[in-house]
Every structure is written in C-alpha cells, then in structure tokens.
Amino acid sequence: MRNTKIRAVQFGCGKMARLICRYLKDHDVEIVGAIDTNPQLVGQDLGEFADLGCQTGVIISDDAEAVFEQCDADIAIITVFSYMPEMFDFYETALRHGVNVISTCEEAIYPWTTSPLETNRLDKLAKANHVTITGSGMQDIYWINMPCLAMAGMNKIKKVSGKVSYNVEDYGPALAEAHGAGYDLDRFNQEIAAAESLPSYMWNAAEAICAKMGWTISRIQQKNVPFILDEDVYSQTLGRTIPAGQAIGMSAVTEIKTQQGIELEVECIGKVYRKEDGDMCDWFISGQPDLEFSVSKPDTVALTCATIVNRIPSVISDPAGFITAEKLPLLSYPSFPLHTYL
Amino acid sequence: MRNTKIRAVQFGCGKMARLICRYLKDHDVEIVGAIDTNPQLVGQDLGEFADLGCQTGVIISDDAEAVFEQCDADIAIITVFSYMPEMFDFYETALRHGVNVISTCEEAIYPWTTSPLETNRLDKLAKANHVTITGSGMQDIYWINMPCLAMAGMNKIKKVSGKVSYNVEDYGPALAEAHGAGYDLDRFNQEIAAAESLPSYMWNAAEAICAKMGWTISRIQQKNVPFILDEDVYSQTLGRTIPAGQAIGMSAVTEIKTQQGIELEVECIGKVYRKEDGDMCDWFISGQPDLEFSVSKPDTVALTCATIVNRIPSVISDPAGFITAEKLPLLSYPSFPLHTYL
C-alpha cells in the first residue's frame, strides 16, 4: 500500500474533465497539471474550471511539453477526441515523458484492428518508457466486462446482441448532423448510409468482447440506418423541430461472425432524445439458457468519468504497453483512497 | 494447460444434478462417481438418470465412502440441501478423501458468520488435505460479482438494494408451506413472521458483497413479510386456489448497516407464480450516479447449474481452504474444454 497520493495530469479540459476532476478529488488524487488549447480556458485555475470549491494553483496550460516537464505525474487522463489518429500526438507526449495514460477516446477501448499502426507504435513506446496506456469509460464495465461476466453463467452461447444509446443533443450540432439528425431519408442514404463510416463505439467494444471470450473474428461489418419516429421531435441543438418520418439520428449496427460459430450484433444509437428517452444498455444473449439484462437509463457521462478514475490504480500497476480494458483485472469500487490500492 | 479431462463425482442426484451432468458432458468433464440415498435411484446408470443418451457405466451408489475410495476425482459436485449444518458430513467426506468441493448449498455462498463452526472446521480440513471447497450457483455471478462489478463504475455509493425471486411451485409443498403460501395473515404472522428464521439466501449473498467491497457490517437483521395479491392464484403444489388477500409466499428482507455508512437492503421472494411471473434479479444502487440494472426473468436453475460447472477449473486451481465466491477470480465462459483452463 502506497502512502503518497496519486498525481494526475488532466489533458483536455471539457465537459468530461470537469466531472473527472471532482471525482479525482473525492478519491484523494492530486491534480498536478492541466492542459487545453481553448483560449477561454488557458490561464484559468483548475479549481475554478472544475468547480472544486477552491483555487488549486494548477493553471490550465496550452503547453503540454512544459506541463509534463514540470511535474512527476503518475498518470495523464486524456479526454479530447473519439478516434486514435487524432489522439496519437497527445498520447505520444505523455508516454514519452514516462507517464501512464488513461483515455476516454472511444476507439482506444480496443483499437488493435481499427487503428493498428497507431496502437502498435503506442504499445512499443509505452513499453520503452515502462508505462501503460489504456482506454476506458462506460464501455469498460457496461459494454464489455459486464456482458462477459453475465455470459459466464451460461452453458452455451449462440449469439450476443447488445444495444446502447446516447443523446446527440449533448454533443453539439456537428455530431448531430454527422448522425443524420434532421435529414430526410434520401439525404440520409446519400450522405450517411453510403459514406465510408468510422467504426461505431460498439464496434471496438464488441471486438474487445471477442478478445476476452477467446473468439476469433472471421468477418465484421457495419451499416448505418436512420432512426425514424412517427412523431415530431424538437432538437435544441439544431434549433428546430424534426418532422415525423425524418431521421432523428442513426443506429450503427455492427455484425460479427466468429470461427467458433458465435455471432455478435451490436447496435449503437445516437439520436435526439424525447423527454421520456434515456440512455440504453441492453443485452440479450441467446444460448443455454437465454440471458437478458439491461442497465436502466444509465448516466453514461457520470459512469464514464467514475470508471476512468476508479481504473487509475490498475493502469498504474499494470504491465507496460497498450493494455486494453478486457485484459485488465476487473474493476472494483474504491472504498478507500485511490493510492491505497497501489 | 492440462491434457487430461477433469474427473468429477456427482454427490446428490436430484433435479439440479441432472442438468449439471449434461453440462459436464458438454464441457468434456468425466463423471467418475455418483452418490444418492434415494432407493429409486441407487443402482441406476448415471447416463440413464441424466438422459445423457448413453449408458456411462457409472452406477448411482448410496455408499459415499466407497465411491470416493474407488476413484481419483478432482472435484465433488455436492447438491443436496440448502444449509451448512445439514451439509457438513457430505463436505467432510469429500474433503477427507482429498477431493475439491463445489456446492449449490445456498448458505455455502458465504457461510462465515451464519455457520461459523462448520465453515471453519471445513476450511481447516480442506487446507490439511490441500483442496478447496466453494459454494456457487446463481448467486456467484448475478447476486454478488455482477452487482459488485456494476458498482465499480460509480463515484459514490449510498445504498445497495437487491430483489430476487423464485417460484415455490418448483420445490414442493413443504417449501411452499414454509413460505406461508396459502396462509391467512394471522397464521402467517404467528407461524412465519414470529418464528426464528433461517438466513435467507440473499442474507449470505449480501454478506459476500460487503466482504468483496471492503465494508464492515455493524448490524444485520431480517424480517419475513407475507406476499399478498388482490387476485386469486392457483397453486398446483398446494392443489388449491389461494384467495386474494392470503399469502402466496413470502419476502425475506435483510437489512445491513455498515461502518462505512453504506446500507444494503436485499429481498428474497419465494412465492407461487402466476403465468406472467418469472424469476427476478433487480438491483438499484443509489449514489453518484444512481445505477439500476436487472436480469430479466433469469432461468435460475440453468444459470445455477452452468455456473457450478464453469466454476470447476477455478476451484481446482485455487488455494486450499474454504474459498467463498467473492474471493475467487471472476468467472469466465469456457469457450474450450474445461480441463484446458487448468
């Protein structure tokens, strides 16, 4: 048991970072650096930014190199973008300074096949610097390790079906449009369905499930289908009502065939929510016996931030390299200060 | 990786054993002995008893000593009763012969405080014989390890509420009456609520949750309340209709206070099911954020039997002693023959 607090650098100061910083404080982690390039934030005290109730003396800086040079951090919490290529430089900077990395980047949950070049370079760099890099968040427990644990009570598995959703209203108009919100069917089919699309967040999670279960993927494919209601829905982000019959977002369905004969079909829904909608996390596994479970309207943002923070001790103490979440020891709730788990 | 099959003795040949034997066969485990004292079963071939589609040459015997003396088993699967004192002798016999034990006995899931004398004697005996004894079944994953994993994504926990149910129709008139099925309220209050009651199956599971989470129990208490509907329900087991307003079973509510300030309230419902009823496994954890999840109408019998079988490699390879389920490595689904996990 270590008796000095864990020291963290918060890399990326957005909505998630605010909550993460509060949770870090709750679990006795010291924040020793903060990085963001947003001119509105640079120069601000982290305590003010994250509403910690005090000035911390840690000033948000746009000079990542300087931040890592001026502290001996145990871990960098990197919360900027969703895909590996755009995250590579941030990860590289932290690893090069010998600092472990945990990241909310959705692709980082299992990027071995969707971004193999970046992932392997980072794996090698992490090993050379004796540190660990891991992606985590909502997917770690609720999209990967919890379905795998639930399946451990079955005698035979035929097919794994998972369905999750998020509200595109939470992430601004660009993401809403990228999901086809407010598009009619023709436009959706031309601009969204026909486009070469990025792997959905569930694509990477489903690959992690296969890796953990020992299933060999023989085929994986994704299609984007519009999400349509027979009622009008008002979108605050778009500033207008989406009429019945137009897309309020999309569902990315990823289908996997494995050499073991087990199939996976995972669906990732991003849409404009109505009042009664909430995030979804539903699993149905057919086999012997069938098994169905769901997390009811999960608070995806809070669960992601708490999972990131609770994961820190296992990332610090894990073997060096890019260690994806399905390979980490299963997470447990920290009943005591986080550094006492080291 | 071991290249010889695991050898198992099935101790207790009832409803659960039938399914367990089929699952053992599915996972390449050799059944080398079978024990039961029921004169209807003694002398029967195990293949016939369990509908394995072939004669196995393994004959159900009422002489446990002889069975253990005449084979070199890796594990005994002991499925007889629900409470430790009535199970002690069976466990003792297997352990004394140097055979690991896994058991469906509900109390065995965490018997340290409800049957401390029996549990400690068995722990010592298991260590002296370099073998492991473990309780498992539905509770292992769905009542203990899965709620603990779900909580690992939370920042703060205030209260853990769990509710599970089973159909008393499945277990005969004695159990139905013990649950007060068909009793009016006066009789229920006199004979069931006022009686010194055994710990409910969820009592032991909740203690395991506290042990895994590092929470120190300061008070634990249970009350049995009748389960009443405003409609008539027919009970096949009782051979009559239970009128609206009479108990169709009972709910045992166990409340735990911990020194960490976290509370648990777990409810174990045994009642006569209507057509639309199914087993329940619902969890609500209040905290930051709140978290709610449920397994929808779980097939408790099949999940119990598959969990028992899938647990075998970890019981064989675990340290000697009475190792309760919350201390075992988390279970994973065996995609390959069971002995390859050793």
Side-chain angles (χ1 to χ4, degrees):
Chain A
M1 193 181 102
R2 192 168 111 161
N3 61 10
T4 55
K5 295 187 183 186
I6 292 170
R7 285 183 296 261
V9 167
Q10 179 58 49
F11 197 148
C13 295
K15 184 184 170 188
M16 306 297 273
R18 227 174 226 120
L19 205 53
I20 287 170
C21 288
R22 282 181 230 152
Y23 291 178
L24 289 171
K25 194 182 164 202
D26 287 340
H27 292 281
D28 272 344
V29 175
E30 278 178 340
I31 310 173
V32 297
I35 302 163
D36 204 286
T37 55
N38 178 349
Q40 309 265 300
L41 296 175
V42 173
Q44 202 178 356
D45 186 282
L46 189 77
E48 195 184 320
F49 160 75
D51 254 335
L52 299 182
C54 60
Q55 297 279 311
T56 62
V58 174
I59 305 300
I60 298 174
S61 162
D62 57 3
D63 187 346
E65 285 290 328
V67 168
F68 282 110
E69 269 162 31
Q70 287 160 22
C71 65
D72 178 24
D74 298 297
I75 190 141
I77 300 156
I78 312 194
T79 55
V80 187
F81 299 126
S82 296
Y83 288 98
M84 292 295 292
E86 52 194 359
M87 290 295 282
F88 184 86
D89 288 347
F90 308 134
Y91 294 153
E92 192 269 342
T93 304
L95 296 176
R96 189 164 32 79
H97 284 88
V99 176
N100 296 285
V101 168
I102 189 162
S103 178
T104 52
C105 164
E106 284 89 347
E107 192 185 1
I109 202 74
Y110 194 91
W112 294 101
T113 61
T114 53
S115 291
L117 296 180
E118 290 84 354
T119 308
N120 281 289
R121 281 176 63 193
L122 292 167
D123 179 51
K124 198 159 183 172
L125 181 63
K127 284 170 179 158
N129 286 280
H130 311 291
V131 288
T132 308
I133 168 170
T134 298
S136 187
M138 182 74 187
Q139 314 102 294
D140 183 337
I141 297 175
Y142 308 99
W143 298 12
I144 300 170
N145 285 307
M146 199 163 152
C148 285
L149 178 59
M151 288 189 268
M154 295 175 65
N155 184 55
K156 275 185 193 160
I157 297 173
K158 281 187 203 149
K159 182 170 178 178
V160 180
S161 305
K163 188 188 276 199
V164 303
S165 80
Y166 48 90
N167 188 358
V168 300
E169 296 276 273
D170 290 345
Y171 308 91
L175 185 136
E177 293 240 354
H179 283 68
Y183 286 20
D184 62 32
L185 275 191
D186 281 349
R187 190 173 170 203
F188 186 95
N189 287 330
Q190 280 168 29
E191 297 185 26
I192 310 283
E196 279 288 310
S197 57
L198 290 164
S200 84
Y201 308 152
M202 273 290 259
W203 170 306
N204 298 97
E207 285 208 52
I209 288 177
C210 290
K212 192 172 179 96
M213 301 296 280
W215 299 334
T216 315
I217 295 174
S218 52
R219 205 185 66 185
I220 182 163
Q221 58 183 23
Q222 180 178 311
K223 65 177 177 204
N224 299 333
V225 297
F227 208 96
I228 291 165
L229 292 180
D230 53 5
E231 60 179 289
D232 296 354
V233 177
Y234 179 75
S235 164
Q236 198 160 24
T237 299
L238 299 178
R240 66 179 176 90
T241 294
I242 301 172
Q246 287 193 3
I248 57 164
M250 78 169 193
S251 152
V253 179
T254 309
E255 290 180 334
I256 297 179
K257 308 265 185 210
T258 68
Q259 289 181 12
Q260 285 73 19
I262 293 152
E263 294 176 30
L264 292 88
E265 183 178 312
V266 292
E267 188 174 355
C268 197
I269 300 167
K271 63 177 184 180
V272 176
Y273 279 11
R274 294 161 297 171
K275 272 229 172 66
E276 66 271 32
D277 290 328
D279 287 359
M280 274 172 35
C281 181
D282 293 349
W283 294 88
F284 179 75
I285 301 111
S286 68
Q288 193 174 35
D290 290 342
L291 183 73
E292 189 174 358
F293 79 93
S294 57
V295 186
S296 177
K297 299 196 176 183
D299 183 339
T300 300
V301 169
L303 293 172
T304 289
C305 294
T307 299
I308 288 282
V309 171
N310 298 347
R311 251 304 171 217
I312 291 174
S314 58
V315 177
I316 293 176
S317 45
D318 242 53
F322 205 125
I323 311 290
T324 40
E326 90 288 353
K327 291 181 197 74
L328 289 171
L330 276 195
L331 200 51
S332 57
Y333 173 80
S335 295
F336 307 102
L338 224 51
H339 59 271
T340 65
Y341 292 87
L342 289 177
Chain B
M1 193 181 100
R2 193 168 109 160
N3 61 10
T4 55
K5 295 187 182 186
I6 291 169
R7 286 184 296 262
V9 167
Q10 179 59 48
F11 197 148
C13 295
K15 182 184 172 188
M16 305 297 272
R18 230 177 223 117
L19 205 52
I20 287 170
C21 288
R22 282 181 231 152
Y23 290 178
L24 288 171
K25 195 184 163 200
D26 286 340
H27 293 281
D28 273 344
V29 175
E30 279 178 338
I31 309 173
V32 297
I35 303 163
D36 204 285
T37 56
N38 179 349
Q40 309 263 302
L41 296 175
V42 174
Q44 201 178 1
D45 186 280
L46 190 77
E48 195 183 319
F49 159 76
D51 255 334
L52 299 181
C54 59
Q55 297 278 312
T56 62
V58 174
I59 305 300
I60 297 175
S61 163
D62 58 3
D63 187 345
E65 285 289 327
V67 169
F68 282 109
E69 268 160 32
Q70 288 161 21
C71 67
D72 178 26
D74 298 298
I75 190 140
I77 300 156
I78 311 194
T79 56
V80 188
F81 299 128
S82 296
Y83 289 98
M84 292 296 290
E86 53 194 0
M87 291 295 281
F88 184 85
D89 288 347
F90 308 134
Y91 294 153
E92 192 270 341
T93 303
L95 297 176
R96 190 162 33 79
H97 284 88
V99 177
N100 296 285
V101 169
I102 188 162
S103 178
T104 53
C105 163
E106 284 89 346
E107 191 185 0
I109 202 73
Y110 194 91
W112 294 102
T113 61
T114 53
S115 290
L117 296 180
E118 291 83 355
T119 309
N120 281 290
R121 281 177 64 193
L122 292 166
D123 179 52
K124 197 159 185 172
L125 181 63
K127 284 171 180 157
N129 287 279
H130 311 290
V131 287
T132 309
I133 168 170
T134 298
S136 187
M138 181 75 187
Q139 314 101 294
D140 184 335
I141 297 175
Y142 308 98
W143 299 11
I144 299 170
N145 284 307
M146 198 164 152
C148 285
L149 179 58
M151 287 188 268
M154 295 176 63
N155 184 55
K156 275 185 193 161
I157 296 173
K158 281 187 202 150
K159 182 171 178 177
V160 180
S161 305
K163 189 188 276 201
V164 303
S165 79
Y166 48 90
N167 188 358
V168 300
E169 296 277 272
D170 290 344
Y171 307 92
L175 185 136
E177 293 240 355
H179 282 68
Y183 286 21
D184 62 31
L185 275 190
D186 280 348
R187 191 173 169 203
F188 186 95
N189 287 331
Q190 279 167 28
E191 297 183 26
I192 309 285
E196 278 289 309
S197 57
L198 290 164
S200 84
Y201 308 151
M202 274 291 260
W203 170 308
N204 298 99
E207 285 207 51
I209 288 177
C210 291
K212 193 173 179 94
M213 301 297 280
W215 299 333
T216 315
I217 295 175
S218 52
R219 205 184 67 184
I220 182 163
Q221 59 184 21
Q222 181 178 312
K223 66 179 174 202
N224 299 334
V225 297
F227 208 97
I228 290 166
L229 293 181
D230 53 7
E231 59 180 291
D232 296 353
V233 177
Y234 178 76
S235 164
Q236 198 159 24
T237 299
L238 299 177
R240 66 181 175 88
T241 296
I242 301 171
Q246 287 193 2
I248 58 163
M250 76 168 195
S251 152
V253 178
T254 309
E255 290 180 335
I256 296 179
K257 308 266 186 211
T258 68
Q259 288 181 14
Q260 285 74 19
I262 293 152
E263 294 177 32
L264 292 88
E265 183 178 312
V266 291
E267 188 174 354
C268 196
I269 300 167
K271 64 178 183 180
V272 177
Y273 279 12
R274 294 161 298 170
K275 273 229 173 66
E276 66 268 32
D277 290 328
D279 287 359
M280 276 173 34
C281 181
D282 294 348
W283 294 89
F284 179 76
I285 301 112
S286 68
Q288 191 174 37
D290 289 341
L291 183 73
E292 188 174 357
F293 79 94
S294 57
V295 186
S296 177
K297 299 196 177 183
D299 183 340
T300 301
V301 169
L303 294 172
T304 289
C305 293
T307 300
I308 288 282
V309 171
N310 298 349
R311 252 303 171 217
I312 290 173
S314 58
V315 177
I316 292 175
S317 45
D318 243 55
F322 205 126
I323 311 289
T324 40
E326 90 289 353
K327 291 180 197 77
L328 289 172
L330 275 196
L331 201 50
S332 57
Y333 174 80
S335 296
F336 307 102
L338 223 50
H339 59 273
T340 64
Y341 291 88
L342 288 177

